[in-house]
Coordinates of all heavy atoms in Angstrom, one line a residue:
A1 N 0.8 -1.2 0.0 CA 0.0 0.0 0.0 C 0.9 1.3 0.0 O 0.6 2.2 -0.7 CB -0.9 0.0 1.2
T2 N 1.9 1.3 0.8 CA 2.8 2.4 0.9 C 3.5 2.6 -0.5 O 3.6 3.7 -1.0 CB 3.8 2.3 2.0 OG1 3.1 2.3 3.3 CG2 4.8 3.4 2.0
L3 N 4.0 1.5 -1.0 CA 4.7 1.6 -2.3 C 3.8 2.2 -3.4 O 4.2 3.1 -4.2 CB 5.3 0.3 -2.7 CG 6.4 -0.3 -1.9 CD1 6.8 -1.7 -2.3 CD2 7.7 0.6 -1.9
L4 N 2.6 1.6 -3.5 CA 1.7 2.1 -4.5 C 1.3 3.5 -4.3 O 1.2 4.3 -5.3 CB 0.4 1.2 -4.5 CG -0.6 1.4 -5.6 CD1 0.1 1.2 -7.0 CD2 -1.8 0.5 -5.5
R5 N 1.1 3.9 -3.1 CA 0.8 5.3 -2.8 C 1.9 6.3 -3.2 O 1.6 7.3 -3.9 CB 0.5 5.5 -1.3 CG 0.1 7.0 -1.0 CD -0.4 7.1 0.5 NE 0.7 6.9 1.4 CZ 0.8 5.9 2.2 NH1 -0.1 4.9 2.2 NH2 1.8 5.8 3.0
V6 N 3.1 5.9 -2.9 CA 4.2 6.8 -3.2 C 4.4 6.8 -4.7 O 4.6 7.9 -5.4 CB 5.5 6.4 -2.5 CG1 6.7 7.1 -3.0 CG2 5.4 6.6 -1.0
F7 N 4.4 5.6 -5.4 CA 4.7 5.6 -6.8 C 3.6 6.3 -7.6 O 3.9 6.9 -8.6 CB 4.8 4.1 -7.2 CG 6.0 3.4 -6.6 CD1 6.2 2.0 -6.7 CD2 7.0 4.1 -6.0 CE1 7.3 1.4 -6.2 CE2 8.1 3.5 -5.4 CZ 8.3 2.1 -5.5
S8 N 2.3 6.1 -7.3 CA 1.3 6.7 -8.0 C 1.3 8.2 -7.9 O 1.1 9.0 -8.8 CB -0.1 6.1 -7.6 OG -0.4 6.3 -6.3
R9 N 1.6 8.7 -6.6 CA 1.7 10.1 -6.4 C 2.9 10.7 -7.2 O 2.8 11.8 -7.8 CB 1.8 10.4 -4.9 CG 1.8 11.8 -4.5 CD 1.7 12.0 -3.0 NE 2.9 11.4 -2.4 CZ 2.9 11.0 -1.1 NH1 1.8 11.1 -0.4 NH2 4.0 10.6 -0.6
A10 N 4.0 10.0 -7.2 CA 5.2 10.4 -7.9 C 4.9 10.4 -9.4 O 5.4 11.4 -10.1 CB 6.4 9.6 -7.6
K11 N 4.3 9.4 -9.9 CA 4.0 9.4 -11.4 C 3.2 10.6 -11.8 O 3.5 11.3 -12.8 CB 3.2 8.1 -11.7 CG 2.9 8.0 -13.2 CD 2.1 6.7 -13.5 CE 1.9 6.5 -15.0 NZ 0.9 7.5 -15.5
A12 N 2.1 10.9 -11.0 CA 1.3 12.1 -11.3 C 2.1 13.3 -11.3 O 2.0 14.2 -12.1 CB 0.1 12.1 -10.4
A13 N 2.9 13.5 -10.2 CA 3.7 14.7 -10.0 C 4.7 14.8 -11.2 O 4.9 15.9 -11.7 CB 4.4 14.6 -8.7
R14 N 5.3 13.7 -11.6 CA 6.2 13.8 -12.7 C 5.6 14.2 -14.0 O 6.2 15.0 -14.8 CB 6.9 12.4 -12.9 CG 7.9 12.3 -14.1 CD 9.0 13.3 -13.9 NE 9.9 13.3 -15.1 CZ 9.7 14.1 -16.2 NH1 8.6 14.9 -16.2 NH2 10.6 14.1 -17.1
E15 N 4.3 13.8 -14.2 CA 3.6 14.2 -15.4 C 3.4 15.7 -15.5 O 3.2 16.3 -16.5 CB 2.3 13.5 -15.6 CG 2.5 12.0 -15.9 CD 1.2 11.2 -15.7 OE1 0.2 11.7 -15.3 OE2 1.3 10.0 -16.0
H16 N 3.4 16.3 -14.3 CA 3.2 17.8 -14.2 C 4.4 18.5 -13.8 O 4.4 19.6 -13.3 CB 2.0 18.1 -13.3 CG 0.7 17.5 -13.8 ND1 0.0 18.0 -14.8 CD2 0.0 16.4 -13.3 CE1 -1.1 17.2 -15.0 NE2 -1.1 16.3 -14.1
F17 N 5.6 17.9 -13.9 CA 6.8 18.4 -13.3 C 7.2 19.8 -13.9 O 7.7 20.6 -13.2 CB 8.0 17.4 -13.5 CG 9.2 17.7 -12.7 CD1 9.2 17.4 -11.3 CD2 10.3 18.4 -13.2 CE1 10.2 17.7 -10.5 CE2 11.4 18.7 -12.4 CZ 11.4 18.3 -11.1
S18 N 6.9 20.0 -15.2 CA 7.2 21.3 -15.8 C 6.4 22.4 -15.2 O 6.7 23.6 -15.3 CB 7.0 21.2 -17.3 OG 5.6 21.0 -17.6
K19 N 5.3 22.0 -14.5 CA 4.4 23.0 -13.9 C 4.7 23.2 -12.4 O 3.9 23.9 -11.6 CB 3.0 22.7 -14.1 CG 2.6 22.5 -15.5 CD 1.2 22.0 -15.6 CE 0.8 21.8 -17.1 NZ -0.5 21.2 -17.2
M20 N 5.8 22.6 -11.9 CA 6.0 22.5 -10.4 C 7.0 23.5 -9.9 O 7.4 23.4 -8.8 CB 6.3 21.1 -10.0 CG 5.2 20.1 -10.2 SD 5.7 18.5 -10.0 CE 6.3 18.5 -8.3
L21 N 7.6 24.4 -10.7 CA 8.7 25.2 -10.3 C 8.4 26.1 -9.1 O 9.3 26.4 -8.3 CB 9.2 26.1 -11.5 CG 10.6 26.7 -11.3 CD1 11.6 25.6 -11.1 CD2 10.9 27.5 -12.5
S22 N 7.1 26.4 -8.9 CA 6.8 27.3 -7.8 C 6.8 26.5 -6.5 O 6.5 27.0 -5.4 CB 5.5 27.9 -8.0 OG 4.4 27.0 -8.0
G23 N 7.0 25.2 -6.6 CA 7.1 24.3 -5.3 C 5.8 23.7 -4.9 O 5.7 23.0 -4.0
Q24 N 4.7 23.9 -5.7 CA 3.4 23.3 -5.4 C 3.3 22.0 -6.2 O 3.9 21.8 -7.2 CB 2.3 24.2 -5.8 CG 2.3 25.5 -5.0 CD 1.5 26.6 -5.7 OE1 1.5 26.7 -6.9 NE2 0.8 27.4 -4.9
A25 N 2.5 21.1 -5.6 CA 2.4 19.8 -6.2 C 1.7 19.7 -7.6 O 2.0 18.9 -8.4 CB 1.7 18.8 -5.3
Y26 N 0.8 20.7 -7.7 CA 0.1 20.7 -9.0 C -0.2 22.1 -9.3 O -1.0 22.8 -8.7 CB -1.2 19.9 -9.0 CG -1.9 19.9 -10.3 CD1 -1.6 18.9 -11.2 CD2 -2.8 20.9 -10.6 CE1 -2.2 18.9 -12.5 CE2 -3.4 20.9 -11.9 CZ -3.1 19.9 -12.8 OH -3.7 20.0 -14.0
V27 N 0.4 22.6 -10.4 CA 0.3 24.1 -10.7 C 0.0 24.1 -12.2 O 0.7 23.6 -13.0 CB 1.5 24.9 -10.4 CG1 1.3 26.3 -10.8 CG2 1.9 24.8 -8.9
T28 N -1.1 24.8 -12.6 CA -1.5 24.9 -14.0 C -0.7 25.9 -14.7 O -0.5 25.9 -15.9 CB -3.0 25.1 -14.1 OG1 -3.3 26.4 -13.5 CG2 -3.8 24.1 -13.5
N29 N -0.4 27.0 -14.0 CA 0.4 28.1 -14.6 C -0.3 28.6 -15.9 O 0.4 29.0 -16.8 CB 1.8 27.7 -14.9 CG 2.7 27.8 -13.7 OD1 2.3 28.4 -12.7 ND2 3.8 27.1 -13.7
N30 N -1.6 28.6 -15.9 CA -2.3 29.1 -17.1 C -2.0 30.5 -17.4 O -2.1 30.9 -18.6 CB -3.8 28.9 -17.0 CG -4.3 27.5 -17.3 OD1 -3.7 26.8 -18.1 ND2 -5.4 27.1 -16.7
A31 N -1.6 31.3 -16.4 CA -1.3 32.7 -16.7 C -0.1 32.8 -17.6 O 0.0 33.8 -18.3 CB -1.0 33.4 -15.3
E32 N 0.7 31.8 -17.7 CA 1.9 31.9 -18.5 C 1.5 31.5 -20.0 O 2.3 31.8 -20.9 CB 3.0 30.9 -18.0 CG 3.5 31.3 -16.7 CD 4.5 30.2 -16.2 OE1 5.1 29.5 -17.0 OE2 4.7 30.2 -15.0
K33 N 0.4 30.9 -20.2 CA 0.0 30.5 -21.5 C -0.8 31.7 -22.2 O -1.5 32.4 -21.5 CB -1.0 29.3 -21.5 CG -0.4 28.1 -20.8 CD -1.4 27.0 -20.8 CE -0.9 25.8 -20.0 NZ -2.0 24.7 -19.8
Q34 N -0.6 31.8 -23.5 CA -1.4 32.8 -24.2 C -2.0 32.0 -25.4 O -1.4 31.7 -26.4 CB -0.5 33.9 -24.8 CG 0.1 34.8 -23.7 CD -0.9 35.5 -22.9 OE1 -2.0 36.0 -23.4 NE2 -0.7 35.7 -21.6
V35 N -3.3 31.7 -25.2 CA -4.1 31.0 -26.1 C -5.2 31.8 -26.7 O -5.9 32.5 -26.0 CB -4.7 29.7 -25.5 CG1 -5.5 28.9 -26.5 CG2 -3.6 28.8 -24.9
T36 N -5.2 31.9 -28.0 CA -6.2 32.7 -28.7 C -7.0 31.8 -29.7 O -6.4 30.9 -30.4 CB -5.5 33.8 -29.6 OG1 -4.8 34.6 -28.7 CG2 -6.6 34.6 -30.3

């Protein structure tokens, strides 16, 4: 249970790693995007 919890949490965090520079676990940083 502990291994699965850590690994699944880490997998999700890794998928959003480029959005994590501010130190939060999940950051969308939409303000940095300019979509028209």
Side-chain angles (χ1 to χ4, degrees):
T2 294
L3 291 176
L4 186 58
R5 181 174 66 249
V6 172
F7 294 168
S8 59
R9 186 170 62 204
K11 179 180 184 294
R14 177 60 184 85
E15 289 168 356
H16 300 286
F17 194 77
S18 64
K19 302 173 181 178
M20 292 170 59
L21 193 58
S22 67
Q24 295 161 324
Y26 182 88
V27 181
T28 62
N29 281 339
N30 276 333
E32 295 175 22
K33 301 176 185 175
Q34 293 299 324
V35 179
T36 298

